Amino acid sequence: RRYYEKFLADSEQVGGVAMIDVDHFKEVNDRFGHLVGDKALQAVAKAVQSNLRESDILIRYGGDEFLLLMPKIKQEDMDKVIDRVWNAVSAAKVESHPELELSASIGGVCDVHPLTEAIRRADAQMYQNKAKRKK
């Protein structure tokens, strides 16, 4: 998060912005402990990173939230990246706890300025998507 605040917060070079929230993360920590929770976050980050372009930037934004910045991307391409990321996270495993099923809610926007507004809208979209999946 400090990297974002120091180097990227004032950037206008971002085309796509996505917020990624690990589903049921508190339950993972409560049931399996914080060390397994840390491994789950690492598995999610690895799954996300395996589906990114070299120019994309993944930032741990909060406890179980990640911010994904995708420069110079079109909406339809960003939607494909989000689908790939969602599938990769759903397939990710914590080696020591293969029974643990990981998932994430993701919201993304393209060409929204300033960056703070893009993050706000991506976050709102992520929560809308999370609510839809709970139904």
Side-chain angles (χ1 to χ4, degrees), residues 84-99:
R84 284 196 316 264
V85 165
W86 187 85
N87 287 322
V89 170
S90 297
K93 294 292 178 195
V94 176
E95 194 173 305
S96 61
H97 292 77
E99 73 278 13

Side-chain angles (χ1 to χ4, degrees), residues 25-115:
F25 185 68
K26 182 182 181 327
E27 294 171 25
V28 171
N29 277 335
D30 290 349
R31 183 173 171 203
F32 298 101
H34 291 279
L35 290 177
V36 174
D38 288 346
K39 289 181 181 185
L41 287 176
Q42 291 169 358
V44 168
K46 184 177 179 180
V48 173
Q49 287 175 324
S50 70
N51 285 280
L52 301 182
R53 303 170 304 168
E54 200 171 294
S55 60
D56 297 339
I57 302 168
L58 180 66
I59 299 163
R60 184 168 176 204
Y61 195 67
D64 64 343
E65 286 188 331
F66 293 88
L67 173 64
L68 176 56
L69 305 177
M70 298 168 274
K72 299 179 184 173
I73 195 167
K74 297 176 184 169
Q75 183 69 52
E76 59 271 10
D77 294 329
M78 187 184 74
D79 292 341
K80 291 175 188 175
V81 170
I82 289 173
D83 286 342
R84 284 196 316 264
V85 165
W86 187 85
N87 287 322
V89 170
S90 297
K93 294 292 178 195
V94 176
E95 194 173 305
S96 61
H97 292 77
E99 73 278 13
L100 182 58
E101 293 185 16
L102 300 173
S103 65
S105 297
I106 306 172
V109 297
C110 211
D111 295 322
V112 174
H113 300 282
L115 182 56

